Amino acid sequence: MTILLGSIADDYTGASDLANTLTKNGLRTVQTVGIPDPSLALPDVDAVVVSLKIRSVAAKDAVAAALEAESWLRGRGAGHVLYKICSTFDSTDLGNIGPVTEALLSVSGGHIALVTPAFPETGRTVYLGHLFVNGQPLDESPLKDHPLNPMRDANLARVLTRQSRGKVGLIDLPTVTDGADAVRARLDRLRAEGAAAAIADAVFERDLETLGKAALEMPVSTGASGLGLGLARALLRSGRASASDGENEAIRPVGGLAAVVAGSCSAATLKQLDAAELHMPVLRLDTEKLFAGSDEISAAIAWAGERIGEGPVAIAASAAPEVVSRLQARYGREASGHAVETATAAIAGELVERGVRRLVVAGGETSGATVDRLGIPAFLIGPEIAPGVPLLRTIGTGGNDMLLALKSGNFGGEDFFATALSMMR
């Protein structure tokens, strides 16, 4: 197996988002869950996205996992490795974007890394180093109150500097507009000045193409799926890859029951659950009871068992921001998040045991916990359900194939759950 492009994703939904983007832009792509076991037979592809859960872990653990994935990808021919981060730059002042980026640079020759979370298709743009979410500065958007990583600073150079040992520079929009050669020249100057990373502006899709062309000539870059778009198109235009459509196998019917499990507390997911009640039964878990040692999980499984034979059901541990804040104040941010992830993954696992083969999961941490619980080693990438969310078909599950959608909390329109299930057969 020889690949052209490798990627290390800091969570599972972000990995699906990137794999979706690469597939849409012509690269044959597989998403793995961690580093694959040598016994797993992967198809011949152009790109592999290794899914990790390193966004919110200790920086040293994130670095160790990323370096192991980088070694695996380089060993299979990857000339460029993209460290895939969230398009809202979810992180803290301790990391993990800076530490992982610098670690990847240290083992690849110590070049400078181009960094951008921009993805205009999903409303993420960067101008003068500041991140905008649907036209709002990051620190004025709903992400300022993110339950795990509240983002209170839109200046990405400042955010990344607080996480990094090296300097952080800026590639401004006029430079990007001047083309890939101008971007590379700017990177060379910044590197000579001691910078290890440079935040790159991008407002339009053509900016991503310019950045992808420039970044492809370096060993490492850091960004959201928008940068993946630029890298994929650069590979195709260079002649190193040929456009391919790999969706057909991924959408072959699997049958079985269907369900939605939600752990995200984002405003988008809460609206999607409200809309889902028009199409299916929805059970909203009492998140307080998840901490009280009650039989909330068993009751949820029993509730689903009475209804799922008639059609899809949804079970949600999603709660309004004020409820989340109260739980975090009482139990701690990490403990409250872990309780929700554990409960939703347990419910998803029980549903699959009872015949669910078509499953939609909402929330990055919830998706990660669920995929781990189910022991899924890899996915084929199917058609896009909504921007950033593809349909996924399991690989290496012993003939018990499933169709899944792993949705980041903020992604998708209000009818996302019904749309996703309608594409699964």
Side-chain angles (χ1 to χ4, degrees), residues 93-385:
D93 285 351
L94 298 178
N96 289 333
I97 298 172
V100 172
T101 298
E102 291 184 333
L104 294 174
L105 286 171
S106 71
V107 297
S108 64
H111 207 284
I112 188 171
L114 185 153
V115 180
T116 186
F119 200 178
E121 181 183 353
T122 57
R124 277 58 165 166
T125 56
V126 179
Y127 180 64
L128 294 180
H130 289 68
L131 177 57
F132 293 82
V133 179
N134 296 319
Q136 290 182 296
L138 178 65
D139 55 345
E140 298 177 17
S141 76
L143 277 302
K144 71 180 187 300
D145 298 318
H146 190 284
L148 287 178
N149 297 318
M151 300 304 295
R152 305 288 170 81
D153 192 348
N155 186 323
L156 300 186
R158 199 159 54 205
V159 172
L160 192 57
T161 295
R162 292 195 292 266
Q163 304 177 16
S164 305
R165 293 173 297 176
K167 296 179 182 178
V168 178
L170 171 67
I171 305 171
D172 61 15
L173 190 61
T175 301
V176 176
T177 302
D178 283 344
D181 288 341
V183 172
R184 281 192 286 264
R186 175 64 175 158
L187 286 166
D188 288 341
R189 286 195 300 273
L190 289 170
R191 185 187 184 194
E193 295 167 3
I199 301 294
D201 284 356
V203 175
F204 303 106
E205 192 170 283
R206 63 177 179 268
D207 301 329
L208 298 175
E209 295 182 354
T210 297
L211 297 177
K213 184 177 180 181
L216 191 61
E217 303 308 314
M218 301 181 295
V220 173
S221 62
T222 294
S225 294
L227 186 54
L229 176 152
L231 290 165
R233 292 184 183 177
L235 278 169
L236 291 172
R237 288 169 181 169
S238 72
R240 281 177 269 180
S242 301
S244 175
D245 179 4
E247 293 181 355
N248 292 337
E249 174 62 19
I251 60 175
R252 187 163 48 84
V254 298
L257 303 175
V260 174
V261 176
S264 167
C265 298
S266 72
T269 298
L270 294 175
K271 290 179 181 178
Q272 289 159 356
L273 288 167
D274 290 341
E277 290 184 309
L278 300 174
H279 306 283
M280 67 190 81
V282 176
L283 174 65
R284 299 174 191 263
L285 301 176
D286 186 332
T287 47
E288 289 275 7
K289 290 183 179 179
L290 297 178
F291 293 90
S294 73
D295 59 354
E296 189 76 354
I297 295 175
S298 298
I301 296 301
W303 176 91
E306 295 171 358
R307 296 163 175 80
I308 201 166
E310 302 299 320
V313 300
I315 299 176
S318 305
E322 59 272 16
V323 176
V324 174
S325 296
R326 186 172 68 247
L327 291 174
Q328 290 178 344
R330 184 173 179 182
Y331 299 103
R333 186 184 300 272
E334 185 174 340
S336 57
H338 180 71
V340 169
E341 296 160 30
T342 301
T344 49
I347 289 168
E350 290 293 332
L351 292 175
V352 170
E353 286 288 329
R354 287 161 172 74
V356 167
R357 292 292 177 268
R358 294 169 288 148
L359 180 65
V360 182
V361 187
E365 301 301 324
T366 299
S367 293
T370 297
V371 169
D372 286 347
R373 175 74 177 237
L374 297 178
I376 298 169
F379 296 103
L380 281 174
I381 311 303
E384 186 177 70
I385 301 167

Side-chain angles (χ1 to χ4, degrees), residues 26-84:
L27 298 188
R28 298 167 300 163
T29 306
V30 163
Q31 174 185 346
T32 70
V33 181
I35 297 173
D37 187 275
S39 64
L40 178 66
L42 294 175
D44 187 25
V45 293
D46 303 307
V48 173
V49 181
V50 177
S51 317
L52 301 177
K53 292 195 296 182
I54 59 173
R55 181 175 300 170
S56 301
V57 302
K60 63 179 180 60
D61 296 331
V63 166
L67 289 179
E68 186 178 4
E70 191 269 355
S71 177
W72 186 88
L73 290 166
R74 299 288 188 197
R76 279 141 190 85
H80 184 89
V81 171
L82 168 65
Y83 172 37
K84 197 281 176 190

